[in-house]
Amino acid sequence: MSLGRTVTSGPEPHSPEEPAKLQTPPVRGTWRASSEGAASTHREDARPGLGTLRWAFSRTRQRPSGQAPEEDLGLFQRGSHFLFRSLRRAKGNGSTADQSQATAVPGVTHGPEVPSRVMDGHSRRSSAGVGREELEPEAGKSVADLITERHLLAAFQQLRQLEVRLVAEKASHTFEKDPTGFARRAMDLCLHYDGLAAEIGAIVRETLGPDGVDSAALGEHPAPPADGDFLLTPRRWRQHWEDAQAGAGEAPGAAEGASGLARLLAELGGLVRSDLHKVRQGGQPAYSAAGFPAWEAYLRAFHGAVAQRLQELAQDARGCEQLYVLLDWAANVYGSPDFLGAPDLTLSTEPLPPLLAPALWARLQNDYTSFLETKITSCFDSILQLEQSRWADAEPPDVLQGLYHTPLSIDVHMLVTEHVKAAGAISAELEATTLRICTRALGLFLPRFEKAFLESMAVNEPHLGANINACEELRTSLLARFPGTFEELEKPLVAATCTFQKRLLQGLQCDVQPLFRVLCTKAWLTQDVLQPLMDKVVAFARHLEHVAPLRAQETLQEVHRYVVREYLAQVLRPRERFRGDERMTGSQKMGVDAQAIGDTFQGLGSEATWLDQAIPCVADILGETYKEDIRRHLETLIGSYPDIRRDHVRAILALRRLGRRRNQRLLQHTRDLLRAAAKAAGSGAAGGHVLFEEIEVPTSVDVLLTCI
């Protein structure tokens, strides 16, 4: 085969005595030289060494871009470095070298297939290299042909024999008068070794290619030689083989956005799985037969390549979504035992270094939590905006499973759960950090939500009930889902619930307060003025049927207490005073009203039965005809309601119109009863109910009692 380009140092007339030198080895599909073409470019009377060097560099430059492996240049540079260092040593040795080195070179064997021929230092044929007949002892194939046909072991054996022979000739001072001859032959050996290394890289790459590679070629890897001269220096063939693996895969390109990054990582994972499957199915048996730890080497190579690619992607990752995609892929996708997609294939992480360095992993988590805090706050802002839009549209809340419902609780619960679950899939530390972020954000959101709602035009029973239900759902669901984390949120959630309950009661109070004014009047004695009030209470209680049972019962009991308290307040502050028969009729009317109030609230499901005795006790004192029994009624009243004060008893006695001395005796007995009740309250024996304490008594009663 003729060379496409030949560079010489000048006219070099051909000498028929100069045999053909080594044929330049081919790099798969890139370059090749023939023994005949190489021999025809040198002349005996010129400087063949320089011509050979130029020829070698010229051939290297002629490789098409994109076809020559990157390993070739490194091996060539390494071979050239050793070559020039050896030339310097050769000049320094001169004629003082021991001639016995020719037979003491380690690894030198002279078999019958390749005859050993140490030339005389004064022979002109020594400068021309090894003859063609020495390259084709029996099979008639040159080293280059063996490399091309991928008989790498045979090619290596021949190169090794020639290399040992060249070392022996150098030691025998054969090249004292022709140092460029040694350089030429050494360069030929280096180029052939470069070709051998390039072919190994090509085999590794083709192993992962779509067509695969012949399994017989996978075992054609030279074993490391023993140490020796620069020509015999170990060439680290297994290291070349492992280095070729790292560059065998072709990583995907750049990504834009979280979806682009996820797609890029999916492609990266697909390439790794595909290539390792090929290694396991096609390359592993052949490599194992040759004694190569192929599977472990490929795992290390691919692991290192993936780690390097992730580090590059981590430098460009921006935003919460991209950072999470990167962390999730490293922790859950690549770290999954099913990553390779086959039960017998596992990507063990024990002997491999971390995919991401601990410092980089910590930085990514910190960046993610910083973006996450801003994102969660923004999500709560969006939730508030959605609620405000529903309030502005005056849309009534839905009734879901019998309860007023607003999407607030579901939105918040999903927001917290999704982010905490996603963080927990990466690490427990990130999960705990995300829980703290969500807790702080929800704690800041609740007062904002409460204030915005109370300032809106949607404050009515259904919306208030829906918000009470939402707070109750959040309190129970979050505490149950994340025990030990959201306890600090219980107080703000309960506070928001109480605020909505109070506003619910305020609406009822504003509605029924005018109806209490007709009590304890002349018209009250003859008319049923209580029924309109109780009708409104019943209508209000229908809304409580759509409120969470616990909060509905609390609200209903508070309504019950409010009705009894306001009724007693009207009795103790009468607009008109009754005497004689009117007082007796009023006492009976109070008993009837107390029964109506008790029956109504009992029918609504109120459990505040402790309120049932308040109105009847006062009615008994006002209507008691046997004055000595008033003392007994006072004992019952004070024992049932220890929060009563002397002012309340004075007001009741003023309505009864007893004598001054009797009033004083009853007030003294009241003082003793209240002291006993206070001691009982201090010891915790009292129930803690509040009724009379919130009833204001006019100061004019004391003046009235003084004048009696």
Side-chain angles (χ1 to χ4, degrees):
M1 179 183 295
S2 60
L3 297 175
R5 178 181 179 186
T6 303
V7 180
T8 62
S9 59
E12 297 182 358
H14 176 67
S15 173
E17 297 180 2
E18 181 177 345
K21 68 182 184 68
L22 285 172
Q23 194 171 7
T24 306
V27 175
R28 192 83 176 160
T30 57
W31 57 274
R32 180 181 299 177
S34 63
S35 301
E36 296 84 359
S40 64
T41 59
H42 303 284
R43 301 297 178 182
E44 185 178 287
D45 53 347
R47 299 180 64 183
L50 182 59
T52 302
L53 291 176
R54 290 185 176 179
W55 171 82
F57 286 115
S58 173
R59 295 296 294 168
T60 303
R61 287 193 299 269
Q62 289 177 25
R63 298 180 182 181
S65 62
Q67 295 181 1
E70 294 180 3
E71 303 94 322
D72 298 354
L73 183 57
L75 291 172
F76 179 80
Q77 290 173 342
R78 184 160 55 250
S80 302
H81 168 74
F82 286 125
L83 174 62
F84 293 131
R85 187 177 66 181
S86 178
L87 288 176
R88 289 195 298 270
R89 289 208 313 267
K91 290 182 178 181
N93 288 340
S95 59
T96 61
D98 187 4
Q99 299 293 331
S100 64
Q101 293 179 356
T103 59
V105 177
V108 177
T109 58
H110 304 283
E113 295 182 0
V114 182
S116 176
R117 183 175 54 187
V118 181
M119 297 183 180
D120 189 340
H122 302 285
S123 174
R124 292 179 57 83
R125 291 185 299 169
S126 63
S127 64
V130 182
R132 182 178 182 84
E133 64 277 4
E134 296 179 352
L135 296 176
E136 303 174 2
E138 291 182 2
K141 294 183 179 180
S142 65
V143 175
D145 291 336
L146 291 174
I147 295 175
T148 302
E149 297 173 6
R150 292 191 169 175
H151 298 302
L152 303 184
L153 290 179
F156 175 73
Q157 290 173 0
Q158 288 199 29
L159 284 173
R160 184 70 172 162
Q161 299 258 356
L162 295 173
E163 187 177 19
V164 170
R165 182 180 305 169
L166 183 59
V167 170
E169 292 179 4
K170 174 189 173 185
S172 64
H173 306 285
T174 302
F175 297 100
E176 279 188 349
K177 296 183 178 180
D178 189 12
T180 57
F182 170 77
R184 182 175 63 251
R185 290 175 59 183
M187 181 60 71
D188 288 344
L189 283 172
C190 289
L191 292 176
H192 278 77
Y193 275 126
D194 288 351
L196 187 63
E199 199 65 24
I200 291 176
I203 290 174
V204 172
R205 285 186 294 275
E206 291 178 19
T207 302
L208 306 179
D211 299 330
V213 70
D214 184 8
S215 60
L218 296 178
E220 296 283 337
H221 292 279
D227 293 341
D229 196 273
F230 85 97
L231 289 173
L232 299 178
T233 300
R235 297 180 183 270
R236 306 183 184 278
W237 296 110
R238 290 200 180 190
Q239 186 63 44
H240 297 326
W241 170 69
E242 293 184 4
D243 292 343
Q245 296 170 23
E250 191 170 330
E256 295 183 2
S259 60
L261 179 60
R263 183 173 59 254
L264 185 147
L265 291 174
E267 294 174 0
L268 178 61
L271 286 175
V272 173
R273 281 190 292 271
S274 175
D275 289 348
L276 289 179
H277 275 227
K278 291 177 183 178
V279 171
R280 191 70 169 196
Q281 296 172 2
Q284 171 71 5
Y287 281 123
S288 298
F292 277 67
W295 181 245
E296 293 75 10
Y298 269 101
L299 285 182
R300 289 194 300 271
F302 274 84
H303 182 79
V306 171
Q308 181 179 359
R309 184 63 177 135
L310 283 188
Q311 290 177 4
E312 295 172 357
L313 294 174
Q315 301 301 324
D316 300 329
R318 297 292 183 271
C320 185
E321 289 77 10
Q322 282 196 356
L323 289 168
Y324 181 80
V325 167
L326 198 62
L327 291 169
D328 178 66
W329 193 89
N332 300 320
V333 179
Y334 185 81
S336 170
D338 301 328
F339 174 68
L340 296 182
D344 60 332
L345 299 181
T346 57
L347 193 61
S348 176
T349 57
E350 293 183 2
L352 300 176
L355 190 62
L356 293 174
L360 178 59
W361 179 266
R363 183 182 68 80
L364 291 177
Q365 285 196 130
N366 291 335
D367 293 347
Y368 171 73
T369 54
S370 298
F371 283 110
L372 181 64
E373 191 165 6
T374 303
K375 179 183 178 181
I376 289 179
T377 302
S378 176
C379 289
F380 276 115
D381 292 341
S382 300
I383 291 174
L384 181 58
Q385 291 175 3
L386 289 175
E387 292 294 323
Q388 288 175 326
S389 66
R390 280 191 286 268
W391 303 334
D393 295 339
E395 297 178 1
D398 299 328
V399 177
L400 185 62
Q401 296 180 348
L403 300 178
Y404 288 132
H405 173 72
T406 174
L408 173 67
S409 60
I410 295 179
D411 292 342
V412 172
H413 194 275
M414 289 182 61
L415 173 65
V416 174
T417 302
E418 288 181 1
H419 283 91
V420 172
K421 181 180 178 181
I426 295 176
S427 68
E429 178 186 0
L430 189 60
E431 179 182 21
T433 302
T434 304
L435 276 171
R436 290 193 294 270
I437 291 174
C438 292
T439 302
R440 288 196 301 268
L442 182 55
L444 295 173
F445 168 78
L446 288 173
R448 294 173 53 213
F449 173 80
E450 176 186 322
K451 182 175 183 294
F453 173 74
L454 296 179
E455 292 176 353
S456 70
M457 302 299 294
V459 181
N460 53 38
E461 288 83 357
H463 279 293
L464 285 166
N467 290 338
I468 292 173
N469 292 339
C471 292
E472 183 66 11
E473 290 172 4
L474 286 174
R475 189 182 68 85
T476 56
S477 62
L478 290 178
L479 290 178
R481 181 68 181 272
F482 308 104
T485 303
F486 282 91
E487 278 80 0
E488 61 183 273
L489 280 180
E490 187 167 9
K491 287 185 178 180
L493 283 170
V494 171
T497 302
C498 292
T499 299
F500 295 137
Q501 286 177 307
K502 289 179 181 178
R503 189 59 180 267
L504 196 61
L505 288 170
Q506 288 173 2
L508 175 66
Q509 292 169 2
C510 293
D511 198 15
V512 301
Q513 186 65 38
L515 300 179
F516 283 105
R517 296 173 184 171
V518 297
L519 298 176
C520 300
T521 61
K522 301 290 185 178
W524 167 67
L525 294 176
T526 58
Q527 300 176 10
D528 187 6
V529 298
L530 184 65
Q531 189 60 41
L533 186 151
M534 299 312 297
D535 289 342
K536 289 185 177 293
V537 170
V538 172
F540 174 82
R542 293 195 185 101
H543 293 292
L544 297 181
E545 296 176 358
H546 303 298
V547 178
L550 180 61
R551 301 308 173 190
Q553 180 63 222
E554 291 177 352
T555 306
L556 182 61
Q557 291 186 28
E558 190 63 24
V559 173
H560 191 176
R561 190 176 72 91
Y562 166 74
V563 171
V564 173
R565 185 187 69 212
E566 289 302 314
Y567 191 99
L568 290 173
Q570 295 299 323
V571 171
L572 298 181
R573 298 192 302 265
R575 298 179 184 275
E576 301 178 21
R577 295 190 176 272
F578 304 131
R579 295 184 176 89
D581 294 339
E582 290 181 342
R583 187 180 70 249
M584 296 298 297
T585 303
S587 174
Q588 295 174 0
K589 184 68 171 178
M590 288 176 63
V592 173
D593 288 348
Q595 186 66 36
I597 293 172
D599 291 344
T600 300
F601 280 103
Q602 183 179 1
L604 295 175
S606 173
E607 298 176 359
T609 56
W610 61 278
L611 293 168
D612 294 341
Q613 295 298 319
I615 298 176
C617 282
V618 176
D620 290 341
I621 293 174
L622 296 179
E624 181 60 57
T625 58
Y626 187 63
K627 296 181 180 180
E628 294 299 329
D629 288 344
I630 295 177
R631 182 186 182 97
R632 177 172 54 83
H633 295 316
L634 282 175
E635 293 175 355
T636 302
L637 180 64
I638 295 173
S640 300
Y641 305 97
D643 67 316
I644 195 171
R645 300 191 304 270
R646 286 186 68 192
D647 294 342
H648 298 120
V649 176
R650 287 174 180 172
I652 295 172
L653 294 177
L655 294 175
R656 183 64 181 82
R657 291 185 179 273
L658 300 172
R660 180 180 181 187
R661 292 181 179 178
R662 188 177 297 275
N663 284 340
Q664 289 179 348
R665 289 196 299 268
L666 291 174
L667 288 174
Q668 182 64 38
H669 184 59
T670 299
R671 185 183 302 109
D672 297 337
L673 293 174
L674 290 176
R675 288 176 180 174
K679 292 181 179 180
S683 62
H689 298 303
V690 177
L691 178 63
F692 284 92
E693 184 179 338
E694 296 177 353
I695 299 176
E696 296 182 0
V697 180
T699 56
S700 59
V701 174
D702 292 336
V703 178
L704 177 63
L705 290 175
T706 304
C707 297
I708 294 177

